[in-house]
Amino acid sequence: MRPFTYARPTEASEAVATLAADPDARFLAGGTNLLDHLKLGVVEPSQLVDVSRVTSTTIEDLPDGGLRIGAGVPNSDLAADPRVRERYPAVAAAILAGASGQLRNMASTGGNLLQRTRCAYFADRTTPCTKRDLSQGCSAREGWARYHAILGTAGDGCIATHPSDLAVALVALDAQVQVLGPDGARTVPAVAFHRLPGDDPTRDTVLAHGDLVTAVDLPATTPAVVNSTYRKVRDRASYAFALVSAAIALEVRDGTVVDVRIALGSVAHKPWRASTAEAALRGRPATDEEFRAAIAAELEAAVPVDSPLGGNAYKIPLVTGTVVSTLRALAGGTA
Ligand SMILES: Cc1cc2nc3c(=O)[nH]c(=O)nc-3n(C[C@H](O)[C@H](O)[C@H](O)COP(=O)(O)OP(=O)(O)OC[C@H]3O[C@@H](n4cnc5c(N)ncnc54)[C@H](O)[C@@H]3O)c2cc1C
């Protein structure tokens, strides 16, 4: 392991300046993702800048009726907060579907959004990976692609998926990410926070080096948001990353869909807002037939990987079933 130094600033601006001045420095929050990557040699930082003293660990009410979640709020505290459980059930459900109790106690809100992909080739320095090194190819396309992307995969580059469950719920609920960078503070909509790989899969988000996530804002609730949930399908009942997942908010009045938000997890390099399906459903009857047609329209763009070691075409029927059954449960008030 490459030797590194450790800094623990007490001001957010100091943390940002320290990182911005050193291209090889990394922020450290709970360490549940970063320390694994250090041990595997996937990242070799020159210094770790501990952000535990500069990110808030509180959840505050916002004047517009929303909530501000400090970037340092542990995942366990976020899932347990009564305001989150009652007003944003998809957020609490998404967190509780992830990791383990011990990990959720350490994992922070900011670190959860910034965690790296679980692609096995990314974590294995002995195999080519274009996310680790732009000059290398993608091993997953010809290899074990069972967990990989079916949407937003144009070209022959990276097909890794983003692993955060929380991020999928935040995208569905139109959350806003608060960022402090070397040039000051700014707000990034959760839907635009993570990115498709394009010609630089080494970048998971729109953040620049030195940008610190300081908080996540949940907007004021609506009937759909209160009637929201998160469904995660995985190989084991617990302690496993998603094969596919869906965060869905739904309001039905007199049998008609008035408002619907759908985000899909583990189908793309970023949490995938299913805007085509949402548009197809608004104003339509809340029936299985309509639900199925809407998600089929969204998945028309899907390009599964046909790999000899394990492809991912199974994700198309799995997403369809997950979304249809979740919409049905939300429409019937049984989610
Ligand atoms: C065995 C295991 C199972 C897991 N299962 C799941 C699961 O099912 N679902 C799921 O969603 N997650 C799962 N996780 C991942 C876990 O949720 C993440 O490791 C955790 O959320 C990361 O938070 P952290 O505070 O520990 O971040 P760290 O590991 O400290 O940091 C992660 C990354 O974020 C950056 N970072 C941290 N804070 C900030 C900030 N404020 N601003 C900018 N950058 C920052 C760091 O530089 C680093 O690159 C699992 C992890 C393990 C080890």
Side-chain angles (χ1 to χ4, degrees), residues 7-81:
R8 191 152 59 146
T10 50
E11 298 289 339
S13 56
E14 186 191 344
V16 169
T18 306
L19 214 81
D22 179 353
D24 291 334
R26 293 286 182 278
F27 289 133
L28 172 72
T32 60
N33 190 229
L34 186 61
L35 294 189
D36 277 353
H37 285 155
L38 244 79
K39 288 184 232 165
L40 293 167
V42 171
V43 281
E44 297 188 309
S46 53
Q47 65 172 318
L48 294 184
V49 180
D50 187 333
V51 297
S52 57
R53 288 187 181 178
V54 305
T55 49
S56 165
T57 55
T58 59
I59 302 173
E60 295 166 32
D61 288 297
L62 289 169
D64 69 355
L67 285 182
R68 173 159 294 174
I69 304 156
V73 172
N75 287 177
S76 299
D77 291 5
L78 183 55
D81 189 282

Side-chain angles (χ1 to χ4, degrees), residues 27 29-34 98-99 107-108 111-112 114-115 165 213 232 241:
F27 289 133
T32 60
N33 190 229
L34 186 61
S108 64
N112 191 297
L114 271 297
Q115 63 176 294
D165 293 300
V213 171
K232 176 172 175 178
F241 286 90

Side-chain angles (χ1 to χ4, degrees), residues 17-209:
T18 306
L19 214 81
D22 179 353
D24 291 334
R26 293 286 182 278
F27 289 133
L28 172 72
T32 60
N33 190 229
L34 186 61
L35 294 189
D36 277 353
H37 285 155
L38 244 79
K39 288 184 232 165
L40 293 167
V42 171
V43 281
E44 297 188 309
S46 53
Q47 65 172 318
L48 294 184
V49 180
D50 187 333
V51 297
S52 57
R53 288 187 181 178
V54 305
T55 49
S56 165
T57 55
T58 59
I59 302 173
E60 295 166 32
D61 288 297
L62 289 169
D64 69 355
L67 285 182
R68 173 159 294 174
I69 304 156
V73 172
N75 287 177
S76 299
D77 291 5
L78 183 55
D81 189 282
R83 294 163 294 180
V84 174
R85 291 164 65 100
E86 281 160 29
R87 285 151 55 185
Y88 307 94
V91 171
I95 295 170
L96 292 175
S100 65
Q102 293 95 328
L103 283 159
R104 293 193 295 266
N105 288 343
M106 282 304 292
S108 64
T109 301
N112 191 297
L113 300 188
L114 271 297
Q115 63 176 294
R116 308 301 311 273
T117 182
R118 290 279 156 171
C119 174
Y121 300 103
F122 175 73
D124 177 1
R125 283 210 317 173
T126 65
T127 57
C129 168
T130 187
K131 184 174 265 305
R132 260 188 285 109
D133 182 343
L134 269 180
S135 68
Q136 301 181 350
C138 171
S139 299
R141 282 187 176 267
E142 300 290 320
W144 193 67
R146 194 165 168 267
Y147 276 89
H148 291 72
I150 55 172
L151 289 165
T153 56
D156 58 1
C158 176
I159 52 168
T161 52
H162 186 72
S164 166
D165 293 300
L166 171 62
V168 182
L170 297 181
V171 165
L173 302 190
D174 291 319
Q176 307 278 327
V177 183
Q178 302 295 344
V179 178
L180 181 68
D183 298 327
R186 69 186 193 280
T187 304
V188 182
V191 71
F193 185 78
H194 294 94
R195 59 189 291 283
L196 290 177
D199 57 6
D200 188 359
T202 63
R203 292 180 58 218
D204 300 340
T205 69
V206 297
L207 295 190
H209 186 72

Side-chain angles (χ1 to χ4, degrees), residues 236-281:
R236 296 186 304 266
S238 70
Y239 204 38
F241 286 90
L243 297 170
V244 303
S245 69
I248 306 186
L250 180 70
E251 182 187 359
V252 175
R253 233 180 284 149
D254 300 327
T256 299
V257 175
V258 180
D259 187 12
V260 60
R261 331 265 184 90
I262 304 174
L264 305 174
S266 291
V267 295
H269 195 258
K270 63 178 186 180
W272 188 265
R273 183 76 184 246
S275 315
T276 303
E278 291 177 3
L281 279 173

